[in-house]
Amino acid sequence: MEIYLDHNASAVPEPGAARAAAEWLLGLGGNASSVHARGRRARGAVERARRQLAAALGVLPGDLVFTSGATEALHLAVLGSITRGDHVVASAVEHPALFGACAAAGAEVTRVPVDALGSLSTQSVLSAIRPNTRLVAIMAAQNEIGNLYPVRDIAQAVAPIPILCDAVQAFGKVPLRLPELGAALAVISGHKIGAPQGVGALHLAPGTALRPVIAGGAQERGRRAGTENVAGIVGLGEAAAAVPARLARMEAVRGLRDRLWAGLRARVPGLLVHGDPAAGLPNTLSFRFEEVDGDVLLAALDLEGICLSSGSACSSGAIEPSPVLRALGLDEAAARGGLRASLGPENTTAEIDRVLDVLPPLVHRAREAGLRRCA
Ligand code: PLP
């Protein structure tokens, strides 16, 4: 049986969301822009989902733009609101999609450092502001280490410069009402809350101007051309409607995460935890074992049917250590040790206990092999 501890990469599909998306696909379909009855049904399904998502986020349905996911939503937010040469301030631990969007927009970016615990101070963001700063990008929750950031304080401090908030990892894990963040632009992703992959949304606070990036159609009130992914959107609506139930299970998820944390601490010497998990997302634990490569452990765990992730990414054919762990001040070797366990409501105590049985001997063996190699 596979043990899945990689919910921050993609959550387990929410049954109601998967069913709704599948029913739509198996039904008669129709284009939401068509005026006939079938088209009107598709339009009705899209607008119902928009209302469901709006209710879950505490916003107006008309202020949401459906996209193919958060990567696209971040691109729409950045490319649609700044021009070449503008200055953007961003936390150093934003998702690569944000930095990619800034590069595509020709922006000059100041990355605001975090401290060794991954915390970000409002003052350090404020001191990065310049006369030509047009956007400040601060995520609500960090995907690797789980830290939560003071988006509201920062929005108030940098006003009237607009804030772009990547709320992808916060949505469905901690209570989230977008208006309380004070962000002009905010993005979410469907598959992080159990909706199908390939759907997400950008929220525009009332009064926020945006140029379309994809043109050639009047969909999404002219803000994002292209035939809507109705099945994905219907699934997103249902997953959003299930967010209160998901949140109600997060304390149990925290209990399992803490069981893993305490169990590893008790069983394996040299466990180091990254960020500030006790104050962060309830489901996320980023850690490393001294002298052990994270990708080696990842592969060994995979053979045991246990899915975790390391923050490393493949760039130009080489494995690069996690930029997020590097931003915490870890040197390259230490950052290569990083592993992330991200839990979801589907996990069980038995699964965590199995990880606690399997992982310590793997660490021991990896250390022995490493020492033998050095000898
Ligand atoms: N932002 C954060 C914080 C994420 O964790 C992710 C997904 O990994 C994204 C953005 C990109 O989301 P999507 O997969 O919907 O493009």
Side-chain angles (χ1 to χ4, degrees), residues 269-289:
L271 169 73
L272 297 159
V273 167
H274 311 131
D276 191 7
L281 290 177
N283 76 317
T284 305
L285 188 68
S286 170
F287 57 96
R288 70 184 194 277
F289 299 103

Side-chain angles (χ1 to χ4, degrees), residues 8-10 68-74 93-98 139 141-144 166-169 187-192 198-200 340:
N8 288 8
S10 213
S68 66
T71 299
E72 185 195 322
L74 286 167
V93 293
E94 294 297 306
H95 192 272
L98 182 276
M139 62 198 336
Q142 215 294 322
N143 43 295
E144 278 181 48
D166 177 337
V168 166
Q169 295 292 346
V187 308
I188 62 97
S189 172
H191 69 112
K192 311 294 183 171
V199 65
R340 177 189 70 187

Side-chain angles (χ1 to χ4, degrees), residues 294-375:
D295 285 310
V296 167
L297 274 187
L298 201 65
L301 285 167
D302 191 31
L303 289 175
E304 298 284 343
I306 299 171
C307 311
L308 264 73
S309 83
S310 75
S312 55
C314 199
S315 112
S316 340
I319 305 274
E320 295 288 338
S322 156
V324 172
L325 298 186
R326 298 284 278 136
L328 299 187
L330 272 62
D331 65 22
E332 196 175 318
R336 282 188 194 284
L339 283 172
R340 177 189 70 187
S342 56
L343 284 64
E346 298 78 8
N347 289 125
T348 62
T349 306
E351 289 179 329
I352 297 304
D353 289 349
R354 169 146 166 78
V355 176
L356 290 173
D357 283 343
V358 169
L359 189 45
L362 293 179
V363 176
H364 187 65
R365 237 174 288 152
R367 278 184 178 146
E368 273 198 341
L371 290 178
R372 269 203 300 274
R373 232 191 356 251
C374 297

Side-chain angles (χ1 to χ4, degrees), residues 144-165:
E144 278 181 48
I145 52 177
N147 283 45
L148 303 176
Y149 292 117
V151 179
R152 188 186 175 78
D153 284 358
I154 294 171
Q156 282 171 352
V158 304
I161 301 169
I163 291 267
L164 164 55
C165 177

Side-chain angles (χ1 to χ4, degrees), residues 37-373:
R38 199 169 287 188
R40 290 199 304 277
R41 275 199 297 278
R43 168 62 48 212
V46 168
E47 296 314 318
R48 177 170 187 272
R50 201 188 304 278
R51 288 192 298 277
Q52 288 174 311
L53 180 60
L57 294 168
V59 300
L60 295 172
D63 293 336
L64 289 169
V65 182
F66 287 123
T67 64
S68 66
T71 299
E72 185 195 322
L74 286 167
H75 278 71
L76 177 54
V78 172
L79 289 157
S81 57
I82 65 167
T83 50
R84 186 160 287 279
D86 281 349
H87 181 237
V88 174
V89 171
S91 86
V93 293
E94 294 297 306
H95 192 272
L98 182 276
F99 293 119
C102 290
E108 199 191 333
V109 181
T110 299
R111 298 184 187 217
V112 181
V114 294
D115 68 16
L117 282 181
S119 309
L120 181 72
S121 82
T122 301
Q123 190 48 49
S124 60
V125 175
L126 204 49
S127 53
I129 300 291
R130 297 188 200 157
N132 68 334
T133 305
R134 296 283 171 267
L135 193 65
V136 175
I138 306 293
M139 62 198 336
Q142 215 294 322
N143 43 295
E144 278 181 48
I145 52 177
N147 283 45
L148 303 176
Y149 292 117
V151 179
R152 188 186 175 78
D153 284 358
I154 294 171
Q156 282 171 352
V158 304
I161 301 169
I163 291 267
L164 164 55
C165 177
D166 177 337
V168 166
Q169 295 292 346
F171 191 30
K173 300 191 184 96
V174 289
L176 177 74
R177 308 302 284 172
L178 287 186
E180 290 169 12
L181 295 182
L185 305 130
V187 308
I188 62 97
S189 172
H191 69 112
K192 311 294 183 171
I193 60 162
Q197 290 156 345
V199 65
L202 168 64
H203 174 256
L204 301 167
T208 303
L210 188 83
R211 292 184 306 278
V213 170
I214 302 174
Q219 290 91 350
E220 298 299 296
R221 299 184 176 193
R223 296 176 295 199
R224 195 267 191 182
T227 302
E228 296 89 341
N229 167 12
V230 181
I233 290 171
V234 163
L236 175 53
E238 291 300 322
V243 159
R246 180 174 277 273
L247 286 176
R249 295 163 75 188
M250 278 298 144
E251 273 317 295
V253 172
R254 180 193 299 281
L256 292 180
R257 191 274 311 262
D258 291 350
R259 184 181 184 93
L260 176 66
W261 185 1
L264 290 177
R265 202 170 39 212
R267 288 169 175 77
V268 193
L271 169 73
L272 297 159
V273 167
H274 311 131
D276 191 7
L281 290 177
N283 76 317
T284 305
L285 188 68
S286 170
F287 57 96
R288 70 184 194 277
F289 299 103
E290 275 171 340
E291 295 151 27
V292 182
D293 186 287
D295 285 310
V296 167
L297 274 187
L298 201 65
L301 285 167
D302 191 31
L303 289 175
E304 298 284 343
I306 299 171
C307 311
L308 264 73
S309 83
S310 75
S312 55
C314 199
S315 112
S316 340
I319 305 274
E320 295 288 338
S322 156
V324 172
L325 298 186
R326 298 284 278 136
L328 299 187
L330 272 62
D331 65 22
E332 196 175 318
R336 282 188 194 284
L339 283 172
R340 177 189 70 187
S342 56
L343 284 64
E346 298 78 8
N347 289 125
T348 62
T349 306
E351 289 179 329
I352 297 304
D353 289 349
R354 169 146 166 78
V355 176
L356 290 173
D357 283 343
V358 169
L359 189 45
L362 293 179
V363 176
H364 187 65
R365 237 174 288 152
R367 278 184 178 146
E368 273 198 341
L371 290 178
R372 269 203 300 274
R373 232 191 356 251

